[in-house]
Amino acid sequence: MGRKRRTPLITGVTAMVVVALAAGLYWFQPWKLWQDETVTEALPGTVVDVSRNPAAEPDQSPSPSAPTEPVTVSSGELISHEHTTTGTVRLVRLADGSHVIRLERLDTSNGPDLRVWLTDAPVKEGRAGWHVFDDGAHVSLGKLKGNKGSQNYPLPDGVDPSRYTSLTIWCDRFDVSFGAAALTDER
């Protein structure tokens, strides 16, 4: 009779362990640490239509004040926080006046729920900088497309890029920065 009483207890404990293990795997997603996602995107720029005959059209040269090529407004180098992170960040104004964040030669760990954030927080070295980016103003540019490579993140309409002084690769699930860069004015 003692054996029959232990069976439901063992079954209940086993079920709790399996549920806890499944929840832990879902939450931490440890396999992502060994899965790299490389994204290689070209910087958006001016598209030239080579099919048109330029001699047949009147000269429509752009005004000298309007750039026809992308212009780097600010830039910075990524530093490591929770995970080793390297690469360059550029805030680029495109010929149409819109802005994109360009991550170049990004190399960081993969992880659950990684986002690209523009923030007004100062970039701090070491553990002091891990949790500061959600304290002030920030705007999410979306999910990190890949943990390696060069990629673009358009700024949403209405976002004033001059309000933001840094960028972080932010793990939204654990509220921690994988890496960040202070953006220095290039103008």
Side-chain angles (χ1 to χ4, degrees), residues 48-130:
V48 177
D49 184 1
V50 294
S51 66
R52 292 182 10 191
N53 182 357
E57 295 182 29
D59 183 28
Q60 295 179 357
S61 58
S63 68
S65 62
T68 59
E69 297 296 319
V71 175
T72 300
V73 176
S74 58
S75 65
E77 294 295 318
L78 287 161
I79 65 166
S80 300
H81 281 148
E82 173 70 21
H83 293 269
T84 302
T85 302
T86 59
T88 301
V89 176
R90 292 176 34 204
L91 172 63
V92 179
R93 184 177 55 246
L94 302 177
D96 67 1
S98 65
H99 291 84
V100 298
I101 284 291
R102 172 107 174 129
L103 301 180
E104 295 176 331
R105 299 176 320 279
L106 173 65
D107 189 358
T108 190
S109 298
N110 206 341
D113 209 13
L114 295 180
R115 307 287 174 157
V116 177
W117 280 11
L118 268 179
T119 78
D120 66 352
V123 175
K124 298 178 183 178
E125 297 275 344
R127 290 183 71 95
W130 287 16

Side-chain angles (χ1 to χ4, degrees), residues 41 62 78 86 97 116 122 142-143 151 171:
E41 295 179 329
L78 287 161
T86 59
V116 177
K143 288 189 174 198
Q151 46 209 269
C171 180

